[in-house]
Amino acid sequence: MPTRPLVIRYEDDLKLLPGAWHKAGAVLAVAVALAYPWLASARWLTVGNLGLVAIVGAAALMVLTGFAGQVSLGHAAFLALGAYTVAVLGGKLGWPFWLALPFAGGVCALVGVVIGAFALRLKGLYLAIVTLGLVFLTQHVLLAYPDVTNGLSGTAVPMSWWFRDDASAGGVPLGGTWTVGGVRLTFERKLYFVFLLLSGGAVWLTRNVQRSDSGRAMMAVRDQDLAAEVLGVDTTRAKLQAFGVSSFLAGVAGAMFAFQQQYITVEPPFDLNLSIQYIAMIVLGGVGSVFGAVSGALAFTFLSPLAETVGGAVPLLNQLTSAQQATVLLSVVVVLVLVREPLGLFGVWLRVRRYFEAWPFRY
């Protein structure tokens, strides 16, 4: 009879080990995230901030494309709307960032639901073409009203704690260096911790959407919309919810990017290339998983400056600019990863996790 307790223990271990590894991984991730701004140089701290922005933007696209299966090339349009919304609200109306940022997300969510209503009968390449047109339409609108957006010259994006007309605001309170208990907090470090909270909230929201009934409906529509409708899934509602949630997070990501840059222009960076970059992020990380959005965003963001650093050492790339070298090397890395593991970094994580799950049973 010793085999039965052994089987039960084996099954229990398989249930407990993933949870234990997840907790250990979560603790390690939090420790690394909190220690990063104190260990990184100024350049890599900026890269880290951009990585947190990319996490929110990739999570937004994962909801629409990864969960609902709606291919979108218009992601850059929603980031541009979010960025210019906080620029106008903060620069011209004096709103604080904590009020302008969710308002920018709400504006983008409203636009996303309207666009989603027009695109309900479209799918695949047809939907991609419609969303592609949204990028150029947004650029045209932003450039057509220079009194609001400053047109081609761009606009500054102030980031204040409180309303500008308040006497205690002092211009841009987040700027400069604070000293708290002997600890120096530069602007980039303060921005990092604000972005860390926002990216953590975006990941938490995306994960809960995936587990909810609405998320399951989105994935049913992604897999087979006709069969989902036969089973009682409201496909129209599921698609509109995907557009709304995705657009809201994209607007927040655009606002974060504007606060990071402090000065934005229409093109670049809000062009078709930005939309393609976000598609590359979720494909590299693994389409359909929150882990894929986070890992793909961080990998894409950190590999770009690394590729620029080592690009000069590659003989065939010496004639290219640093940006072109980074693009070529990053493209090669993405292709190699996907050829080896079609599920992307999420598939790599599954292999590693399964290896350690079976560790106690290896003889």
Side-chain angles (χ1 to χ4, degrees), residues 67-78:
F67 297 168
Q70 307 299 300
V71 181
S72 174
L73 290 175
H75 206 55
F78 295 106

Side-chain angles (χ1 to χ4, degrees), residues 143-362:
L143 293 175
Y145 296 94
D147 294 339
V148 179
T149 64
N150 292 338
L152 291 173
S153 60
T155 181
V157 185
M159 187 177 185
S160 59
W161 284 113
W162 199 242
F163 294 93
R164 184 186 300 173
D165 57 0
D166 190 284
S168 63
V172 186
L174 276 178
T177 301
W178 295 356
T179 302
V180 181
V183 179
R184 295 180 69 255
L185 288 175
T186 62
F187 174 75
E188 292 291 336
R189 284 176 179 170
K190 287 178 285 186
L191 206 61
Y192 175 88
F193 288 112
V194 173
F195 284 4
L196 186 62
L197 291 176
L198 291 173
S199 61
V203 171
W204 175 82
L205 175 63
T206 307
R207 182 59 174 164
N208 280 274
V209 168
Q210 184 183 27
R211 294 179 174 181
S212 66
D213 292 339
S214 298
R216 295 186 180 94
M218 294 176 193
M219 289 182 279
V221 172
R222 174 197 64 191
D223 295 336
Q224 183 54 258
D225 54 350
L226 182 60
E229 193 168 0
V230 170
L231 293 174
V233 175
D234 190 341
T235 56
T236 299
R237 180 181 179 182
K239 291 180 181 180
L240 289 179
Q241 286 178 337
F243 271 99
V245 175
S246 176
S247 302
F248 176 83
L249 291 177
V252 172
M256 293 168 62
F257 179 79
F259 288 137
Q260 163 65 33
Q261 299 299 106
Q262 298 185 288
Y263 196 92
I264 56 174
T265 56
V266 176
E267 186 181 0
F270 304 109
D271 51 12
L272 179 59
N273 184 49
L274 183 62
S275 296
I276 295 176
Q277 286 180 4
Y278 273 100
I279 292 178
M281 289 179 193
I282 65 172
V283 172
L284 175 62
V287 178
S289 66
V290 180
F291 177 88
V294 176
S295 61
L298 291 178
F300 196 93
T301 305
F302 278 86
L303 283 176
S304 295
L306 285 175
E308 290 182 5
T309 302
V310 303
V314 180
L316 297 179
L317 301 181
N318 291 334
Q319 305 300 322
L320 302 178
T321 63
S322 59
Q324 293 172 336
Q325 293 172 359
T327 301
V328 173
L329 292 178
L330 190 60
S331 301
V332 172
V333 170
V334 172
V335 169
L336 292 178
V337 171
L338 294 180
V339 168
R340 185 65 181 87
E341 180 52 73
L343 294 179
L345 297 177
F346 181 65
V348 176
W349 159 247
L350 289 179
R351 292 192 180 194
V352 173
R353 194 184 73 174
R354 288 167 184 163
Y355 178 84
F356 283 102
E357 282 176 2
W359 183 270
F361 313 103
R362 295 181 182 275

Side-chain angles (χ1 to χ4, degrees), residues 82 85-86 100-111 244-245 247-253 255:
T85 299
V86 294
L101 188 142
F103 191 86
V107 169
C108 292
L110 179 61
V111 174
V245 175
S247 302
F248 176 83
L249 291 177
V252 172

Side-chain angles (χ1 to χ4, degrees), residues 41-87:
S41 63
R43 180 198 179 193
W44 288 104
L45 184 55
T46 301
V47 173
N49 287 339
L50 293 176
L52 296 176
V53 174
I55 287 176
V56 181
L61 188 59
M62 187 64 75
V63 173
L64 183 62
T65 302
F67 297 168
Q70 307 299 300
V71 181
S72 174
L73 290 175
H75 206 55
F78 295 106
L79 271 80
L81 287 176
Y84 272 89
T85 299
V86 294

